[in-house]
Amino acid sequence: MDRIIRGVIAVALIVYLLLFSEQIGDMLLQVSLLIFAVMNLISFAIGWCPVYQIADINTCKKG
């Protein structure tokens, strides 16, 4: 479920940035949001999140 949520957030954020970037205005904020979205998309695609590993979080249910 966590993986799906990250994928949905990533796609929604990328679409928002592409369609409504002028509403955000600040280029640094746009780039930061894009990096966040791409990282979530990569995490969704490969099933591994570097932030979760650093924080020692595991959302995988066993059994």
Side-chain angles (χ1 to χ4, degrees), residues 24-56:
I24 297 172
D26 184 23
M27 183 61 77
L28 181 61
L29 181 57
Q30 290 177 18
V31 171
S32 298
L33 289 172
L34 184 60
I35 290 170
F36 175 74
V38 169
M39 290 299 293
N40 273 309
L41 195 59
I42 291 169
S43 177
F44 167 75
I46 64 174
W48 177 75
C49 180
V51 175
Y52 276 23
Q53 185 164 2
I54 292 169
D56 197 28

Side-chain angles (χ1 to χ4, degrees), residues 18-29:
L18 289 173
L19 296 178
F20 303 107
S21 62
E22 68 277 352
Q23 289 181 347
I24 297 172
D26 184 23
M27 183 61 77
L28 181 61
L29 181 57

